[in-house]
Amino acid sequence: MNIVIRKDQWINLALVATTLWFIWFAQSHFDDYSVRILNNIAIFIILAVSYNLINGVTGQFSLEPNGFVAVGAYVAALLLLDGEAKEYQYDIVSPYPWILHLQVDFIWALLFAGIFSALLALALAAPVFRVRGDYLAIVTLGFGFIIRILAINNPEITNGSLGLNDIPEFSNLYWTGGVAIFAVIAILNIVNSKYGRAMKAVRDDEDAAIAMGVNTFKTKTLAFCTSAFFEGVGGGLLAALLTSISPDLFTFFFTFQLLIIIVLGGLGSTTGAVIGTVLVIGGSEWMRFLDEPMNFGFVQTPAMPGMRMVVFSIILIFVMLFAREGIMGKKELKDLFKKKGEL
């Protein structure tokens, strides 16, 4: 039996191979600062493509990522720290005895972080999807606040407002980049499956989808739990990269940053979410020189902390004015290589 590989599949294989080579080259040859930025980009790619699944592909205006990322980060941190390290840093109150006995390998910590977040999403699905639109945004926004408050007010588990420190630094480009590639491929396969078509139907007209026999609650729950799983894994990778987490890290600004990324890239486009991540996370770091004193020869400017964010915001405004559906709209990379009139 002859196996025929389509043009778009060849392109995807070439992209994956190129990305894997770049990960190896960057980890081996780039300086620590550059590798740190690339690690951040890879983690935010995981978070952006998963957030885009529920918000862009399924059309549910959800504002919960900071909550699930926080859950994943705390679960992974508690599973990575050994008993002695936990006992040493719990200053407010003593931890529960069972907390001291939790410790697994890194890959299991990531899996448990994702599974715990997904199970929490499953438990939340019934009350959350009783509402739509702006009301859904308010409900999910409240969930993010609740998780942060629980982290502060349960010091026996989370060490309260002090957070958890000295987390083993397992995250490197092989882990963050590898999981990012897996997340993108998994999300794209879901989007291109019958479940993905059902999600798009819910986004375009939920009432019409119900009339056509689509189980909209099941569809939205699937998207919600899948998104939560990868957000939990991303939170685990973030904890193992920063080596220190606290409730202040997971404010609404975290969700707002992801929202900017997927809107800039194009709601509903996984490719756009990747491009948006590179531009927002990488671009904001690249423009850091704007905060420093500059010499133009005929004039010197003093240090202006925050100027890069002003310039970056102006650029975002112009991009959204001239590309109102985002950079990619609802298109994926393969759509750019299709011939005119080709389905």
Side-chain angles (χ1 to χ4, degrees), residues 65-81 109-110 112-114 116-117 158 164 167 231-240 242 244-246 249-250 254:
N66 60 317
F68 288 127
V69 174
V71 169
Y74 273 103
V75 169
L78 290 171
L79 291 174
L80 291 174
L81 285 164
L110 293 181
F112 282 123
F116 196 88
S117 296
T158 63
L164 297 172
I167 303 167
E231 286 165 1
V233 171
L237 286 167
L238 188 65
L242 300 178
S244 177
I245 58 172
S246 69
L249 182 63
F250 306 105
F254 199 102

PDB file of all heavy atoms in Angstrom, residues 65-81 109-110 112-114 116-117 158 164 167 231-240 242 244-246 249-250 254:
ATOM      1  N   PRO A  65      -7.593  31.369  32.698  1.00  0.00           N
ATOM      2  CA  PRO A  65      -6.258  30.762  32.623  1.00  0.00           C
ATOM      3  C   PRO A  65      -5.393  30.937  33.857  1.00  0.00           C
ATOM      4  O   PRO A  65      -4.690  30.013  34.257  1.00  0.00           O
ATOM      5  CB  PRO A  65      -5.622  31.453  31.407  1.00  0.00           C
ATOM      6  CG  PRO A  65      -6.763  31.831  30.562  1.00  0.00           C
ATOM      7  CD  PRO A  65      -7.864  32.194  31.513  1.00  0.00           C
ATOM      8  N   ASN A  66      -5.421  32.128  34.473  1.00  0.00           N
ATOM      9  CA  ASN A  66      -4.556  32.328  35.631  1.00  0.00           C
ATOM     10  C   ASN A  66      -4.884  31.350  36.755  1.00  0.00           C
ATOM     11  O   ASN A  66      -4.004  30.911  37.497  1.00  0.00           O
ATOM     12  CB  ASN A  66      -4.660  33.773  36.129  1.00  0.00           C
ATOM     13  CG  ASN A  66      -6.069  34.165  36.550  1.00  0.00           C
ATOM     14  OD1 ASN A  66      -7.037  33.836  35.876  1.00  0.00           O
ATOM     15  ND2 ASN A  66      -6.191  34.874  37.651  1.00  0.00           N
ATOM     16  N   GLY A  67      -6.155  30.961  36.888  1.00  0.00           N
ATOM     17  CA  GLY A  67      -6.540  29.995  37.918  1.00  0.00           C
ATOM     18  C   GLY A  67      -5.968  28.620  37.660  1.00  0.00           C
ATOM     19  O   GLY A  67      -5.365  28.001  38.553  1.00  0.00           O
ATOM     20  N   PHE A  68      -6.111  28.113  36.437  1.00  0.00           N
ATOM     21  CA  PHE A  68      -5.615  26.774  36.117  1.00  0.00           C
ATOM     22  C   PHE A  68      -4.086  26.733  36.077  1.00  0.00           C
ATOM     23  O   PHE A  68      -3.481  25.731  36.458  1.00  0.00           O
ATOM     24  CB  PHE A  68      -6.184  26.291  34.786  1.00  0.00           C
ATOM     25  CG  PHE A  68      -7.647  25.936  34.852  1.00  0.00           C
ATOM     26  CD1 PHE A  68      -8.546  26.485  33.958  1.00  0.00           C
ATOM     27  CD2 PHE A  68      -8.112  25.063  35.814  1.00  0.00           C
ATOM     28  CE1 PHE A  68      -9.891  26.165  34.033  1.00  0.00           C
ATOM     29  CE2 PHE A  68      -9.463  24.734  35.895  1.00  0.00           C
ATOM     30  CZ  PHE A  68     -10.349  25.288  34.998  1.00  0.00           C
ATOM     31  N   VAL A  69      -3.460  27.811  35.611  1.00  0.00           N
ATOM     32  CA  VAL A  69      -1.990  27.873  35.616  1.00  0.00           C
ATOM     33  C   VAL A  69      -1.485  27.849  37.054  1.00  0.00           C
ATOM     34  O   VAL A  69      -0.497  27.172  37.373  1.00  0.00           O
ATOM     35  CB  VAL A  69      -1.495  29.133  34.877  1.00  0.00           C
ATOM     36  CG1 VAL A  69       0.026  29.271  35.023  1.00  0.00           C
ATOM     37  CG2 VAL A  69      -1.855  29.065  33.401  1.00  0.00           C
ATOM     38  N   ALA A  70      -2.166  28.563  37.954  1.00  0.00           N
ATOM     39  CA  ALA A  70      -1.786  28.571  39.372  1.00  0.00           C
ATOM     40  C   ALA A  70      -1.923  27.184  39.978  1.00  0.00           C
ATOM     41  O   ALA A  70      -1.027  26.722  40.703  1.00  0.00           O
ATOM     42  CB  ALA A  70      -2.654  29.567  40.137  1.00  0.00           C
ATOM     43  N   VAL A  71      -3.019  26.498  39.671  1.00  0.00           N
ATOM     44  CA  VAL A  71      -3.223  25.138  40.183  1.00  0.00           C
ATOM     45  C   VAL A  71      -2.105  24.225  39.702  1.00  0.00           C
ATOM     46  O   VAL A  71      -1.501  23.475  40.488  1.00  0.00           O
ATOM     47  CB  VAL A  71      -4.597  24.594  39.740  1.00  0.00           C
ATOM     48  CG1 VAL A  71      -4.703  23.093  40.028  1.00  0.00           C
ATOM     49  CG2 VAL A  71      -5.722  25.339  40.445  1.00  0.00           C
ATOM     50  N   GLY A  72      -1.802  24.280  38.410  1.00  0.00           N
ATOM     51  CA  GLY A  72      -0.732  23.444  37.866  1.00  0.00           C
ATOM     52  C   GLY A  72       0.614  23.749  38.475  1.00  0.00           C
ATOM     53  O   GLY A  72       1.401  22.841  38.772  1.00  0.00           O
ATOM     54  N   ALA A  73       0.891  25.038  38.675  1.00  0.00           N
ATOM     55  CA  ALA A  73       2.177  25.433  39.246  1.00  0.00           C
ATOM     56  C   ALA A  73       2.326  24.934  40.684  1.00  0.00           C
ATOM     57  O   ALA A  73       3.384  24.399  41.064  1.00  0.00           O
ATOM     58  CB  ALA A  73       2.319  26.956  39.198  1.00  0.00           C
ATOM     59  N   TYR A  74       1.283  25.079  41.489  1.00  0.00           N
ATOM     60  CA  TYR A  74       1.355  24.642  42.895  1.00  0.00           C
ATOM     61  C   TYR A  74       1.420  23.116  43.002  1.00  0.00           C
ATOM     62  O   TYR A  74       2.164  22.583  43.831  1.00  0.00           O
ATOM     63  CB  TYR A  74       0.165  25.185  43.683  1.00  0.00           C
ATOM     64  CG  TYR A  74       0.407  26.556  44.241  1.00  0.00           C
ATOM     65  CD1 TYR A  74      -0.144  27.690  43.644  1.00  0.00           C
ATOM     66  CD2 TYR A  74       1.214  26.740  45.360  1.00  0.00           C
ATOM     67  CE1 TYR A  74       0.088  28.957  44.149  1.00  0.00           C
ATOM     68  CE2 TYR A  74       1.452  28.002  45.875  1.00  0.00           C
ATOM     69  CZ  TYR A  74       0.891  29.106  45.270  1.00  0.00           C
ATOM     70  OH  TYR A  74       1.149  30.363  45.779  1.00  0.00           O
ATOM     71  N   VAL A  75       0.641  22.416  42.183  1.00  0.00           N
ATOM     72  CA  VAL A  75       0.685  20.948  42.210  1.00  0.00           C
ATOM     73  C   VAL A  75       2.078  20.453  41.846  1.00  0.00           C
ATOM     74  O   VAL A  75       2.657  19.596  42.534  1.00  0.00           O
ATOM     75  CB  VAL A  75      -0.373  20.346  41.260  1.00  0.00           C
ATOM     76  CG1 VAL A  75      -0.150  18.842  41.090  1.00  0.00           C
ATOM     77  CG2 VAL A  75      -1.775  20.604  41.791  1.00  0.00           C
ATOM     78  N   ALA A  76       2.642  20.988  40.766  1.00  0.00           N
ATOM     79  CA  ALA A  76       3.972  20.567  40.335  1.00  0.00           C
ATOM     80  C   ALA A  76       5.026  20.912  41.395  1.00  0.00           C
ATOM     81  O   ALA A  76       5.920  20.101  41.680  1.00  0.00           O
ATOM     82  CB  ALA A  76       4.329  21.225  39.002  1.00  0.00           C
ATOM     83  N   ALA A  77       4.929  22.110  41.961  1.00  0.00           N
ATOM     84  CA  ALA A  77       5.906  22.528  42.974  1.00  0.00           C
ATOM     85  C   ALA A  77       5.878  21.609  44.187  1.00  0.00           C
ATOM     86  O   ALA A  77       6.929  21.198  44.707  1.00  0.00           O
ATOM     87  CB  ALA A  77       5.640  23.970  43.388  1.00  0.00           C
ATOM     88  N   LEU A  78       4.674  21.280  44.660  1.00  0.00           N
ATOM     89  CA  LEU A  78       4.550  20.405  45.828  1.00  0.00           C
ATOM     90  C   LEU A  78       5.065  18.998  45.540  1.00  0.00           C
ATOM     91  O   LEU A  78       5.570  18.320  46.446  1.00  0.00           O
ATOM     92  CB  LEU A  78       3.086  20.335  46.280  1.00  0.00           C
ATOM     93  CG  LEU A  78       2.528  21.615  46.914  1.00  0.00           C
ATOM     94  CD1 LEU A  78       1.021  21.498  47.106  1.00  0.00           C
ATOM     95  CD2 LEU A  78       3.211  21.904  48.244  1.00  0.00           C
ATOM     96  N   LEU A  79       4.957  18.571  44.293  1.00  0.00           N
ATOM     97  CA  LEU A  79       5.420  17.229  43.928  1.00  0.00           C
ATOM     98  C   LEU A  79       6.926  17.189  43.657  1.00  0.00           C
ATOM     99  O   LEU A  79       7.527  16.120  43.694  1.00  0.00           O
ATOM    100  CB  LEU A  79       4.664  16.737  42.696  1.00  0.00           C
ATOM    101  CG  LEU A  79       3.178  16.428  42.905  1.00  0.00           C
ATOM    102  CD1 LEU A  79       2.520  16.104  41.574  1.00  0.00           C
ATOM    103  CD2 LEU A  79       2.991  15.280  43.891  1.00  0.00           C
ATOM    104  N   LEU A  80       7.522  18.341  43.376  1.00  0.00           N
ATOM    105  CA  LEU A  80       8.952  18.380  43.066  1.00  0.00           C
ATOM    106  C   LEU A  80       9.812  18.648  44.303  1.00  0.00           C
ATOM    107  O   LEU A  80      10.951  18.191  44.389  1.00  0.00           O
ATOM    108  CB  LEU A  80       9.230  19.452  42.005  1.00  0.00           C
ATOM    109  CG  LEU A  80       8.694  19.167  40.597  1.00  0.00           C
ATOM    110  CD1 LEU A  80       8.903  20.370  39.688  1.00  0.00           C
ATOM    111  CD2 LEU A  80       9.372  17.935  39.999  1.00  0.00           C
ATOM    112  N   LEU A  81       9.279  19.409  45.258  1.00  0.00           N
ATOM    113  CA  LEU A  81      10.044  19.714  46.470  1.00  0.00           C
ATOM    114  C   LEU A  81      10.115  18.493  47.389  1.00  0.00           C
ATOM    115  O   LEU A  81       9.116  17.793  47.579  1.00  0.00           O
ATOM    116  CB  LEU A  81       9.390  20.868  47.224  1.00  0.00           C
ATOM    117  CG  LEU A  81       9.570  22.270  46.627  1.00  0.00           C
ATOM    118  CD1 LEU A  81       8.574  23.243  47.241  1.00  0.00           C
ATOM    119  CD2 LEU A  81      10.990  22.765  46.836  1.00  0.00           C
ATOM    120  N   ALA A 109       5.172  14.929  37.693  1.00  0.00           N
ATOM    121  CA  ALA A 109       4.684  16.180  38.281  1.00  0.00           C
ATOM    122  C   ALA A 109       3.907  16.988  37.244  1.00  0.00           C
ATOM    123  O   ALA A 109       2.840  17.557  37.550  1.00  0.00           O
ATOM    124  CB  ALA A 109       5.854  16.997  38.823  1.00  0.00           C
ATOM    125  N   LEU A 110       4.415  17.038  36.008  1.00  0.00           N
ATOM    126  CA  LEU A 110       3.715  17.757  34.945  1.00  0.00           C
ATOM    127  C   LEU A 110       2.382  17.091  34.611  1.00  0.00           C
ATOM    128  O   LEU A 110       1.362  17.774  34.425  1.00  0.00           O
ATOM    129  CB  LEU A 110       4.590  17.827  33.684  1.00  0.00           C
ATOM    130  CG  LEU A 110       5.860  18.674  33.760  1.00  0.00           C
ATOM    131  CD1 LEU A 110       6.574  18.655  32.423  1.00  0.00           C
ATOM    132  CD2 LEU A 110       5.543  20.103  34.179  1.00  0.00           C
ATOM    133  N   PHE A 112       0.532  15.138  36.555  1.00  0.00           N
ATOM    134  CA  PHE A 112      -0.411  15.340  37.654  1.00  0.00           C
ATOM    135  C   PHE A 112      -0.928  16.780  37.685  1.00  0.00           C
ATOM    136  O   PHE A 112      -2.100  17.019  38.008  1.00  0.00           O
ATOM    137  CB  PHE A 112       0.231  14.977  38.989  1.00  0.00           C
ATOM    138  CG  PHE A 112       0.289  13.501  39.248  1.00  0.00           C
ATOM    139  CD1 PHE A 112       1.488  12.865  39.497  1.00  0.00           C
ATOM    140  CD2 PHE A 112      -0.867  12.737  39.241  1.00  0.00           C
ATOM    141  CE1 PHE A 112       1.551  11.501  39.731  1.00  0.00           C
ATOM    142  CE2 PHE A 112      -0.831  11.369  39.478  1.00  0.00           C
ATOM    143  CZ  PHE A 112       0.378  10.746  39.722  1.00  0.00           C
ATOM    144  N   ALA A 113      -0.055  17.733  37.353  1.00  0.00           N
ATOM    145  CA  ALA A 113      -0.485  19.133  37.305  1.00  0.00           C
ATOM    146  C   ALA A 113      -1.575  19.321  36.255  1.00  0.00           C
ATOM    147  O   ALA A 113      -2.585  19.998  36.490  1.00  0.00           O
ATOM    148  CB  ALA A 113       0.703  20.036  37.004  1.00  0.00           C
ATOM    149  N   GLY A 114      -1.367  18.721  35.079  1.00  0.00           N
ATOM    150  CA  GLY A 114      -2.362  18.818  34.019  1.00  0.00           C
ATOM    151  C   GLY A 114      -3.645  18.091  34.352  1.00  0.00           C
ATOM    152  O   GLY A 114      -4.750  18.611  34.128  1.00  0.00           O
ATOM    153  N   PHE A 116      -4.868  17.272  37.347  1.00  0.00           N
ATOM    154  CA  PHE A 116      -5.584  17.937  38.441  1.00  0.00           C
ATOM    155  C   PHE A 116      -6.341  19.155  37.917  1.00  0.00           C
ATOM    156  O   PHE A 116      -7.499  19.396  38.308  1.00  0.00           O
ATOM    157  CB  PHE A 116      -4.598  18.350  39.537  1.00  0.00           C
ATOM    158  CG  PHE A 116      -5.238  18.682  40.847  1.00  0.00           C
ATOM    159  CD1 PHE A 116      -5.473  17.705  41.792  1.00  0.00           C
ATOM    160  CD2 PHE A 116      -5.628  19.983  41.134  1.00  0.00           C
ATOM    161  CE1 PHE A 116      -6.083  18.006  43.002  1.00  0.00           C
ATOM    162  CE2 PHE A 116      -6.230  20.310  42.334  1.00  0.00           C
ATOM    163  CZ  PHE A 116      -6.463  19.305  43.275  1.00  0.00           C
ATOM    164  N   SER A 117      -5.712  19.914  37.042  1.00  0.00           N
ATOM    165  CA  SER A 117      -6.377  21.086  36.463  1.00  0.00           C
ATOM    166  C   SER A 117      -7.568  20.663  35.607  1.00  0.00           C
ATOM    167  O   SER A 117      -8.629  21.309  35.641  1.00  0.00           O
ATOM    168  CB  SER A 117      -5.380  21.889  35.621  1.00  0.00           C
ATOM    169  OG  SER A 117      -4.341  22.416  36.420  1.00  0.00           O
ATOM    170  N   THR A 158      -0.043  25.708  50.701  1.00  0.00           N
ATOM    171  CA  THR A 158       0.656  26.557  49.726  1.00  0.00           C
ATOM    172  C   THR A 158       1.697  27.489  50.343  1.00  0.00           C
ATOM    173  O   THR A 158       2.354  28.226  49.610  1.00  0.00           O
ATOM    174  CB  THR A 158      -0.373  27.424  48.984  1.00  0.00           C
ATOM    175  OG1 THR A 158      -1.015  28.294  49.941  1.00  0.00           O
ATOM    176  CG2 THR A 158      -1.424  26.566  48.298  1.00  0.00           C
ATOM    177  N   LEU A 164       6.070  29.274  47.443  1.00  0.00           N
ATOM    178  CA  LEU A 164       7.013  28.158  47.511  1.00  0.00           C
ATOM    179  C   LEU A 164       8.299  28.529  46.783  1.00  0.00           C
ATOM    180  O   LEU A 164       8.264  29.058  45.667  1.00  0.00           O
ATOM    181  CB  LEU A 164       6.395  26.907  46.873  1.00  0.00           C
ATOM    182  CG  LEU A 164       5.137  26.367  47.573  1.00  0.00           C
ATOM    183  CD1 LEU A 164       4.495  25.261  46.746  1.00  0.00           C
ATOM    184  CD2 LEU A 164       5.478  25.857  48.968  1.00  0.00           C
ATOM    185  N   ILE A 167      12.288  25.583  44.251  1.00  0.00           N
ATOM    186  CA  ILE A 167      11.756  24.506  43.401  1.00  0.00           C
ATOM    187  C   ILE A 167      12.869  24.067  42.445  1.00  0.00           C
ATOM    188  O   ILE A 167      13.530  24.914  41.838  1.00  0.00           O
ATOM    189  CB  ILE A 167      10.534  25.005  42.608  1.00  0.00           C
ATOM    190  CG1 ILE A 167       9.463  25.537  43.559  1.00  0.00           C
ATOM    191  CG2 ILE A 167       9.956  23.890  41.732  1.00  0.00           C
ATOM    192  CD1 ILE A 167       8.373  26.324  42.872  1.00  0.00           C
ATOM    193  N   GLU A 231      -2.943  24.101  30.329  1.00  0.00           N
ATOM    194  CA  GLU A 231      -2.624  25.241  31.186  1.00  0.00           C
ATOM    195  C   GLU A 231      -1.996  24.771  32.491  1.00  0.00           C
ATOM    196  O   GLU A 231      -1.074  25.417  33.018  1.00  0.00           O
ATOM    197  CB  GLU A 231      -3.886  26.055  31.456  1.00  0.00           C
ATOM    198  CG  GLU A 231      -4.338  26.874  30.267  1.00  0.00           C
ATOM    199  CD  GLU A 231      -5.749  27.405  30.385  1.00  0.00           C
ATOM    200  OE1 GLU A 231      -6.400  27.153  31.415  1.00  0.00           O
ATOM    201  OE2 GLU A 231      -6.214  28.063  29.432  1.00  0.00           O
ATOM    202  N   GLY A 232      -2.471  23.638  33.021  1.00  0.00           N
ATOM    203  CA  GLY A 232      -1.854  23.070  34.215  1.00  0.00           C
ATOM    204  C   GLY A 232      -0.429  22.622  33.966  1.00  0.00           C
ATOM    205  O   GLY A 232       0.472  22.870  34.781  1.00  0.00           O
ATOM    206  N   VAL A 233      -0.211  21.963  32.816  1.00  0.00           N
ATOM    207  CA  VAL A 233       1.154  21.538  32.444  1.00  0.00           C
ATOM    208  C   VAL A 233       2.051  22.759  32.266  1.00  0.00           C
ATOM    209  O   VAL A 233       3.204  22.774  32.721  1.00  0.00           O
ATOM    210  CB  VAL A 233       1.122  20.692  31.155  1.00  0.00           C
ATOM    211  CG1 VAL A 233       2.546  20.431  30.647  1.00  0.00           C
ATOM    212  CG2 VAL A 233       0.408  19.366  31.402  1.00  0.00           C
ATOM    213  N   GLY A 234       1.522  23.795  31.602  1.00  0.00           N
ATOM    214  CA  GLY A 234       2.294  25.031  31.439  1.00  0.00           C
ATOM    215  C   GLY A 234       2.639  25.665  32.771  1.00  0.00           C
ATOM    216  O   GLY A 234       3.741  26.186  32.959  1.00  0.00           O
ATOM    217  N   GLY A 235       1.698  25.608  33.730  1.00  0.00           N
ATOM    218  CA  GLY A 235       1.976  26.126  35.067  1.00  0.00           C
ATOM    219  C   GLY A 235       3.079  25.348  35.755  1.00  0.00           C
ATOM    220  O   GLY A 235       3.933  25.928  36.434  1.00  0.00           O
ATOM    221  N   GLY A 236       3.085  24.023  35.568  1.00  0.00           N
ATOM    222  CA  GLY A 236       4.155  23.196  36.136  1.00  0.00           C
ATOM    223  C   GLY A 236       5.509  23.543  35.554  1.00  0.00           C
ATOM    224  O   GLY A 236       6.514  23.634  36.272  1.00  0.00           O
ATOM    225  N   LEU A 237       5.554  23.744  34.241  1.00  0.00           N
ATOM    226  CA  LEU A 237       6.814  24.134  33.583  1.00  0.00           C
ATOM    227  C   LEU A 237       7.270  25.508  34.060  1.00  0.00           C
ATOM    228  O   LEU A 237       8.466  25.747  34.260  1.00  0.00           O
ATOM    229  CB  LEU A 237       6.627  24.147  32.064  1.00  0.00           C
ATOM    230  CG  LEU A 237       6.536  22.784  31.380  1.00  0.00           C
ATOM    231  CD1 LEU A 237       6.038  22.939  29.946  1.00  0.00           C
ATOM    232  CD2 LEU A 237       7.893  22.077  31.387  1.00  0.00           C
ATOM    233  N   LEU A 238       6.307  26.408  34.255  1.00  0.00           N
ATOM    234  CA  LEU A 238       6.650  27.749  34.729  1.00  0.00           C
ATOM    235  C   LEU A 238       7.237  27.705  36.135  1.00  0.00           C
ATOM    236  O   LEU A 238       8.220  28.389  36.434  1.00  0.00           O
ATOM    237  CB  LEU A 238       5.399  28.628  34.704  1.00  0.00           C
ATOM    238  CG  LEU A 238       5.596  30.116  34.984  1.00  0.00           C
ATOM    239  CD1 LEU A 238       6.440  30.756  33.885  1.00  0.00           C
ATOM    240  CD2 LEU A 238       4.242  30.819  35.078  1.00  0.00           C
ATOM    241  N   ALA A 239       6.644  26.874  37.002  1.00  0.00           N
ATOM    242  CA  ALA A 239       7.160  26.749  38.369  1.00  0.00           C
ATOM    243  C   ALA A 239       8.582  26.203  38.370  1.00  0.00           C
ATOM    244  O   ALA A 239       9.434  26.653  39.141  1.00  0.00           O
ATOM    245  CB  ALA A 239       6.249  25.834  39.184  1.00  0.00           C
ATOM    246  N   ALA A 240       8.851  25.225  37.489  1.00  0.00           N
ATOM    247  CA  ALA A 240      10.178  24.615  37.432  1.00  0.00           C
ATOM    248  C   ALA A 240      11.177  25.479  36.672  1.00  0.00           C
ATOM    249  O   ALA A 240      12.367  25.176  36.660  1.00  0.00           O
ATOM    250  CB  ALA A 240      10.085  23.234  36.756  1.00  0.00           C
ATOM    251  N   LEU A 242      10.921  29.180  37.012  1.00  0.00           N
ATOM    252  CA  LEU A 242      11.133  30.320  37.915  1.00  0.00           C
ATOM    253  C   LEU A 242      11.743  29.895  39.243  1.00  0.00           C
ATOM    254  O   LEU A 242      12.381  30.704  39.915  1.00  0.00           O
ATOM    255  CB  LEU A 242       9.803  31.034  38.174  1.00  0.00           C
ATOM    256  CG  LEU A 242       9.073  31.607  36.959  1.00  0.00           C
ATOM    257  CD1 LEU A 242       7.745  32.229  37.380  1.00  0.00           C
ATOM    258  CD2 LEU A 242       9.938  32.633  36.242  1.00  0.00           C
ATOM    259  N   SER A 244      10.390  29.617  41.906  1.00  0.00           N
ATOM    260  CA  SER A 244       9.713  30.291  43.025  1.00  0.00           C
ATOM    261  C   SER A 244       8.357  30.762  42.540  1.00  0.00           C
ATOM    262  O   SER A 244       8.260  31.402  41.484  1.00  0.00           O
ATOM    263  CB  SER A 244      10.544  31.481  43.510  1.00  0.00           C
ATOM    264  OG  SER A 244       9.867  32.172  44.544  1.00  0.00           O
ATOM    265  N   ILE A 245       7.309  30.451  43.287  1.00  0.00           N
ATOM    266  CA  ILE A 245       5.964  30.899  42.915  1.00  0.00           C
ATOM    267  C   ILE A 245       5.258  31.471  44.142  1.00  0.00           C
ATOM    268  O   ILE A 245       5.558  31.103  45.268  1.00  0.00           O
ATOM    269  CB  ILE A 245       5.119  29.752  42.323  1.00  0.00           C
ATOM    270  CG1 ILE A 245       5.000  28.588  43.317  1.00  0.00           C
ATOM    271  CG2 ILE A 245       5.676  29.294  40.994  1.00  0.00           C
ATOM    272  CD1 ILE A 245       4.024  27.520  42.888  1.00  0.00           C
ATOM    273  N   SER A 246       4.323  32.381  43.881  1.00  0.00           N
ATOM    274  CA  SER A 246       3.505  32.965  44.942  1.00  0.00           C
ATOM    275  C   SER A 246       2.179  33.379  44.333  1.00  0.00           C
ATOM    276  O   SER A 246       2.060  33.498  43.102  1.00  0.00           O
ATOM    277  CB  SER A 246       4.210  34.174  45.567  1.00  0.00           C
ATOM    278  OG  SER A 246       4.264  35.237  44.638  1.00  0.00           O
ATOM    279  N   LEU A 249       1.852  36.058  41.531  1.00  0.00           N
ATOM    280  CA  LEU A 249       2.260  35.755  40.151  1.00  0.00           C
ATOM    281  C   LEU A 249       1.051  35.484  39.260  1.00  0.00           C
ATOM    282  O   LEU A 249       1.114  35.679  38.040  1.00  0.00           O
ATOM    283  CB  LEU A 249       3.198  34.543  40.150  1.00  0.00           C
ATOM    284  CG  LEU A 249       3.772  34.076  38.815  1.00  0.00           C
ATOM    285  CD1 LEU A 249       4.661  35.156  38.202  1.00  0.00           C
ATOM    286  CD2 LEU A 249       4.562  32.790  38.996  1.00  0.00           C
ATOM    287  N   PHE A 250      -0.065  35.079  39.850  1.00  0.00           N
ATOM    288  CA  PHE A 250      -1.210  34.606  39.069  1.00  0.00           C
ATOM    289  C   PHE A 250      -2.406  35.545  39.199  1.00  0.00           C
ATOM    290  O   PHE A 250      -3.522  35.126  39.492  1.00  0.00           O
ATOM    291  CB  PHE A 250      -1.578  33.187  39.515  1.00  0.00           C
ATOM    292  CG  PHE A 250      -0.421  32.234  39.474  1.00  0.00           C
ATOM    293  CD1 PHE A 250       0.203  31.826  40.650  1.00  0.00           C
ATOM    294  CD2 PHE A 250       0.077  31.778  38.273  1.00  0.00           C
ATOM    295  CE1 PHE A 250       1.287  30.955  40.618  1.00  0.00           C
ATOM    296  CE2 PHE A 250       1.160  30.921  38.232  1.00  0.00           C
ATOM    297  CZ  PHE A 250       1.770  30.503  39.407  1.00  0.00           C
ATOM    298  N   PHE A 254      -2.132  38.101  34.217  1.00  0.00           N
ATOM    299  CA  PHE A 254      -1.648  36.903  33.533  1.00  0.00           C
ATOM    300  C   PHE A 254      -2.642  36.500  32.440  1.00  0.00           C
ATOM    301  O   PHE A 254      -2.258  36.219  31.301  1.00  0.00           O
ATOM    302  CB  PHE A 254      -1.492  35.765  34.548  1.00  0.00           C
ATOM    303  CG  PHE A 254      -0.602  34.651  34.099  1.00  0.00           C
ATOM    304  CD1 PHE A 254       0.696  34.544  34.553  1.00  0.00           C
ATOM    305  CD2 PHE A 254      -1.061  33.682  33.211  1.00  0.00           C
ATOM    306  CE1 PHE A 254       1.528  33.516  34.132  1.00  0.00           C
ATOM    307  CE2 PHE A 254      -0.251  32.652  32.787  1.00  0.00           C
ATOM    308  CZ  PHE A 254       1.049  32.570  33.252  1.00  0.00           C
TER     309      PHE A 254
END
